[in-house]
Structure formats: structure tokens, C-alpha cells
Amino acid sequence: AQSVTQLGSHVSVSEGALVLLRCNYSSSVPPYLFWYVQYPNQGLQLLLKYTSAATLVKGINGFEAEFKKSETSFHLTKPSAHMSDAAEYFCAVLGNEKLTFGTGTRLTIIP
Amino acid sequence: GAVVSQHPSRVICKSGTSVKIECRSLDFQATTMFWYRQFPKQSLMLMATSNEGSKATYEQGVEKDKFLINHASLTLSTLTVTSAHPEDSSFYICSAGSNRRNTEAFFGQGTRLTVV
């Protein structure tokens, strides 16, 4: 079975600072991993995905994530936070044709 | 990316009534659609998986007689909450995949259901 753990339900960073949202996964097979962003009362938007190609994945809005098999991690980063990045972020792993989501991390940007 | 339209975005209904939520893939054929439920400040819980032309597969603990799913065409899946109760109030989200591996799942905007 696949699972995802997101460390930190809330993360606050100053505008312009580095954003780091943590995700660790468990999978019995080579994983497909995803990061989604959710704004209030909206669905999910795909930020980026890892599908066994390059380990450093670049996504939209300046986000990127690095797949590290040895650490079973897929942390999301952005060099410089923007006010518009404030949202809920979900890490997900694909298994048995289903997505399993982490519990989410709420990102707050401090002006 | 592909567009998935979910309707309505918000609905308020009385206890005991039924509510239908539609999920449409606007520019691609969705062989598989997924329905999720999201409680306040929590993650998404997969309720069921529907494949066009066949019965939906429900996750453990989800009442199939209460949450009726129909996937009548490659562009439309519906979720009907029957005999709604206040505890069914939640945010429901659908996603559609264009291939069985679901590596290209696209999400609808979600539906906020409030049962009064």
C-alpha cells in the first residue's frame, strides 16, 4: 500500500523567503508522486509530478521538487515566496491507479 | 491542461432530499473519474472510482446506496447524495483521468454541500 506523510500542517514564511514543504512517501513499487495546490473553496491544481524521469522536477509558479529515493522524500521548494502562494498544498502518491493524498500543509506568507 | 467542470459549486438542501453533482470533462474523454470528499481543514478522501459504462468501485466505509455514482458517458459522471443529512455536509471534488494510470488526473472546482 502507498502512503504519504506531510510534516507540518502549517508553514509560515516571509515574502521573498525560501519555501520548503516536506513530503515523505511509502510505496512498494517505484512511485509516481504529485504536488497539488488548493485555494479556498476550489479544486486542486497540479503543481508538478514525478513519473520516474528526472529526479528534479520543475512545476508551475516557480515551484520545484526533488525525488530522493534514499530518503523516500519529495519535498517541494520555491526560492522566493510570493503573497499569492498562500494556499493549501497536498502531496500525493499514485498506487493501484488511485491517488493517496497527504494531510496537507497550509502555507501562510508573511508580508 | 485539460478542463474538468464540476457543477454546482455550492448547494444547500434540506435534510431528506437528494442532491446531484455533475462532473464533466470538457475537452477530453475521461475513461475514469474519481470522487473525493474533503472535510474542513483535512485531506481528500477517495470515495469511489467510476469507469465509463460500468459500476463504480467504492472505497471501504462508503455507502454505495447513499452516494450513487453514474458514469454514463466518457465526459460525464454524476454523484447523487440520497436522503441527505447534515453530516453529509462537506466539500466534494471530482477528478478525471484520460488513461488508466491516472498520471494525468484533472480536478473539478469542487462542490460545497450544506444540508440543513
Side-chain angles (χ1 to χ4, degrees):
Chain A
Q2 285 73 23
S3 66
V4 167
T5 302
Q6 288 184 245
L7 296 176
S9 58
H10 290 83
V11 170
S12 296
V13 301
S14 297
E15 190 175 14
L18 171 70
V19 175
L20 171 60
L21 304 183
R22 299 179 184 275
C23 173
N24 288 88
Y25 70 90
S26 172
S27 177
S28 56
V29 297
Y32 283 23
L33 296 160
F34 305 79
W35 274 100
Y36 289 90
V37 60
Q38 183 181 33
Y39 297 99
N41 291 312
Q42 294 189 29
L44 273 67
Q45 181 181 9
L46 180 66
L47 280 176
L48 49 81
K49 62 181 179 181
Y50 168 76
T51 56
S52 73
T55 56
L56 181 62
V57 182
K58 294 186 182 298
I60 63 171
N61 302 338
F63 284 94
E64 61 182 38
E66 185 173 9
F67 172 71
K68 292 186 176 181
K69 183 178 180 179
S70 60
E71 299 178 7
T72 61
S73 68
F74 190 56
H75 301 330
L76 181 71
T77 60
K78 181 174 180 176
S80 177
H82 191 273
M83 294 301 295
S84 61
D85 294 328
E88 187 88 19
Y89 292 80
F90 292 95
C91 183
V93 61
L94 179 67
N96 295 324
E97 301 178 355
K98 301 174 185 176
L99 283 171
T100 299
F101 289 88
T103 50
T105 298
R106 180 166 298 279
L107 177 63
T108 300
I109 310 299
I110 303 168
Chain B
V3 179
V4 174
S5 177
Q6 191 172 337
H7 178 79
S9 58
R10 293 178 178 270
V11 59
I12 300 173
C13 70
K14 293 183 177 181
S15 290
T17 62
S18 295
V19 175
K20 178 183 286 187
I21 302 170
E22 293 187 348
C23 182
R24 295 180 182 272
S25 56
L26 298 185
D27 53 1
F28 69 101
Q29 293 185 325
T31 53
T32 306
M33 287 189 173
F34 302 84
W35 287 95
Y36 298 85
R37 182 173 180 176
Q38 185 178 30
F39 293 97
K41 300 183 180 181
Q42 293 189 30
S43 188
L44 282 73
M45 180 192 75
L46 180 64
M47 299 174 65
T49 304
S50 72
N51 293 295
E52 185 266 338
S54 62
K55 290 185 178 180
T57 302
Y58 290 80
E59 296 298 302
Q60 191 174 7
V62 178
E63 299 176 62
K64 62 180 180 181
D65 294 330
K66 180 167 189 61
F67 299 100
L68 301 179
I69 292 173
N70 184 282
H71 193 159
S73 76
L74 286 171
T75 59
L76 174 64
S77 176
T78 61
L79 167 67
T80 302
V81 182
T82 63
S83 187
H85 290 100
E87 55 265 32
D88 298 326
S89 299
S90 192
F91 195 59
Y92 293 87
I93 306 176
C94 71
S95 75
S98 59
N99 57 64
R100 289 180 56 82
R101 293 300 305 274
N102 195 28
T103 56
E104 295 290 346
F106 303 97
F107 286 80
Q109 308 94 317
T111 297
R112 172 73 61 193
L113 170 63
T114 304
V115 184
V116 298

